[in-house]
Amino acid sequence: MQPPLLEINKLSIGFDTPRGPIQPVREVSLSIFPGQTLAVVGESGCGKSVTALSILRLIPQPPGRFLGGQVFLEGRDLLKLPEKQMRQVRGHQIAMIFQEPMTSLNPVYTIGEQIVEAVTLHQHVTRTQAYKIAEKALHDVGIADPRRRLFEYPHQMSGGMRQRVMIAMALSCQPKLLIADEPTTALDVTIQAQILELLQRLQRETGMAIILITHDLGVVAENADVVAVMYASRVVEFAKVEDLFDHPQHPYTQGLLRSVPRLGDTATRLQTIAGTVPNPAQFPAGCKFHPRCPSMQGDMTCATIEPDLREIRPGHWVACHHAQGYSQSPITTPHLDYTHTVPMDLITNRIEPTPAKERTP
Amino acid sequence: MSSIASEPILDRAADVPPPPRSFIAQVMGQAFIRWSARIGAIWIALVAFCAAFAPFIANSEPFILKSRGTLSFPLFRGLHPVDIVLPVATIVGTIVLARRKMQFFASLCLVLWACALTAAASCWPSTADYLKQMQSLFGQSAAIVLLVCFWTGLAAVIVLAPIFISRRSTLITGLCLLPLLIWLMIYPVRPPKTVVYEKYRDLARAGQVDYALYAILPYSPSDRLRDMGDSAFLPPSATHPMGTEYAGADVLSRMIYACRIALAIGLISTGIARLIGVLVGGLMGYFAGTLDILGMRLIEIFEAIPTLFLLITFVAFYGRNLYAMMVIIGITGWTSTARFIRAEFLKLRKQDFVQAAIAAGLPLRSVLFRHMLPNGVTPVLVTTSFGIAAAILYESTLSFLGLGLIDEPSWGQMLNQARGVGASFVWWIAIYPGMAIFLTVLAYNLIGEALRDAIDPHLTKA
Ligand SMILES: Nc1ncnc2c1ncn2[C@@H]1O[C@H](COP(=O)(O)OP(=O)(O)OP(=O)(O)O)[C@@H](O)[C@H]1O
Ligand SMILES: [Mg+2]
């Protein structure tokens, strides 16, 4: 079995805010294999972006602080790398694209100059060659007339085009892992679909892994191989995409899935999860979800002891005292069929989050 | 696939990409649409022109002199390397700017090399003086060792650099620095100082001049008109458009030469200030936290230093020195820039494109100065123009108090000399330099204000 490309092990991050210290990421463990797409979902403020930024050590320090844990990229702990080697990782091995294509490009330089700077930094090529690479990268992401576009400024392009440019820039150095933090949230629906399709195609062509951060469960179903659900700074459920959609184990995941409209659903109103996300400055004791949890039913363990992430089935991890496990045979109800595009073999072969203890750095 | 990339219909001729306009170029364009900024710029350009071409505008020595059958070029013989470098730099710089095709560093390199080469060429006739002066500066053996080492080293570097330096940026930096070095070595060369200006007028009076071509204003600033008897404090007339001063030198000629100090003090001292300010402010804003707090305290310390009194104290202890004045004004005047840049960088470092630049693995140098600085530098343009005005006022004040330079004319020093015999008031020595100071300061302020207004909408838009 192939080793994981990236493995996050009990990562905790703190922020010193004026209202006291908070922990936007607590003991988060994730792993992703080459060629896989890992989706990270969760409500706003649950720590998805902070987790993504911490992989590249882009957390602003201060106010941010690494409180513990490791981030292994092919066995190397990124959190221990000296800054100089970290720069080799950034852009070259792990690339990142951001939510806002309108502000992710430097307004002062042409598209070409920006791509070329990154290319010449990581590859030993002349500027002329770098311009060729940049032109090809723009062509690969489906930008018409790439040669002319190279000499244009970001403000001369639409949002969708800029996101394509960002992807071109990220991929021009052939990274092994692409972190996409809500890459389509700022775009309109048709362009969203195009960008995601583009990412899938590029993934097939290059074999890179993708961490896709999103709010959109439809996007998760269509694009992801594995899913991590985050709630209140923690990963509460981690599973193959079809396991998660067919057998959601954590009450929060179940609530999330119920709050999405489904094909063939006859209910007239969408369900919501009662209550609000807890303030990170004052999380409740015990399970962070228990004040909103429908299946708690007055259980005092939930209110006092925080459940650990445990493996209830091979490859299916849940942090809930009440999670029981389920029978192997998938109960495919027609209206739960989100996963028609995900190649099954890819998922079953590769999912394997290693428990934290097994790893020695 | 690429249905969103809907192309505007282009005619065939527009296939060539239009020359891109940078953000700073846009701001400049917008600022100089204003007539006030344009008038300011025209005045500054006039001052700059006078500064660069001063020896060719006002000079007692004729360009060409034919006397008793022999042809000579006295004006060119008496030129200092600076007098040649300034016009060359101005002309080459203007051409490079006007063509707009070249990269910034390439054009800078070209201008610097043009200067260095003309300076070297202009020194060639006085090589003997050069050796003599180096000897008197450094002592004989040291001078020889220094000279041999420097010039052979320089030749070696020029020949070998392209072979060994593979990185383009290093090569260009080197190419820019070399002419500065050459310039430094040439600087001690001075033309013969014992010019007796009246000898040409004597010749003319004796009827021995067959032919002579003088500059527009045939008086040098140090031309005391000793031969003309009672020539002190002459009011403005056709021969002396702005009159003469206490020793009989032409006021207009001195005004023209004084442009040099006015420009130099403004540009160099604010240059120093901006450099320190950008560096300190940039690091403060980017790293925030402890460094920011320390930097803020440093700024407060420097803001508490009264520049004028420091200048006066310095002059009192160490004597008059223009360069020291520039440095002092520079190292006390960087705080506003640092504050601006810090604020900009604090804002910028959270922006996505900066995050993206860091995420792409770019080194700190590039993130700070290539990606953040151009987006945050525009407020500095404003403080720069106000800073130049302030520096000119400092120099004028100091000179007016009699603590400025003696051997070179400056506007403030002329104001000081407006006190005539027995403390009477000589209006023409007061009015003209006063107006010049006023107009120059006003011009910089007009430009600064236009720039400030021009960047405002951009800041909110970007
Ligand atoms: N620079 C910072 N300083 C202080 N607190 C921060 C900082 N960045 C993030 N946080 C806090 O960390 C928590 C997690 O933020 P994060 O951006 O990871 O949320 P998210 O899951 O990405 O939300 P969204 O879906 O809205 O993007 C939030 O409570 C936020 O207030
Ligand atoms: Mg986010």
Side-chain angles (χ1 to χ4, degrees), chain A residues 39-59:
Chain A
V40 181
V41 291
E43 275 164 304
S44 192
C46 67
K48 305 183 297 288
S49 298
V50 174
T51 309
L53 289 173
S54 65
I55 295 175
L56 283 174
R57 296 220 318 241
L58 293 179
I59 303 289

Side-chain angles (χ1 to χ4, degrees), chain A residues 44-45 47-50 99 181-182 213 215:
Chain A
S44 192
K48 305 183 297 288
S49 298
V50 174
Q99 179 171 349
D181 188 353
E182 309 193 26
I213 295 175
H215 287 284

Side-chain angles (χ1 to χ4, degrees), chain A residues 3 17 22 39 70 99 104 108 117 127 143 164 175 190 220 241 250 265 270 277 279 283-284 292 311 327 350:
Chain A
T17 64
I22 59 166
Q70 293 97 30
Q99 179 171 349
S104 297
V108 175
E117 189 181 9
R127 280 179 76 81
I143 286 180
R164 280 168 199 264
T190 49
V220 174
V241 71
H250 198 280
D265 209 342
L270 280 178
V277 197
N279 180 348
F283 279 139
R292 303 169 72 186
E311 194 169 19
S327 76
R350 285 195 175 146

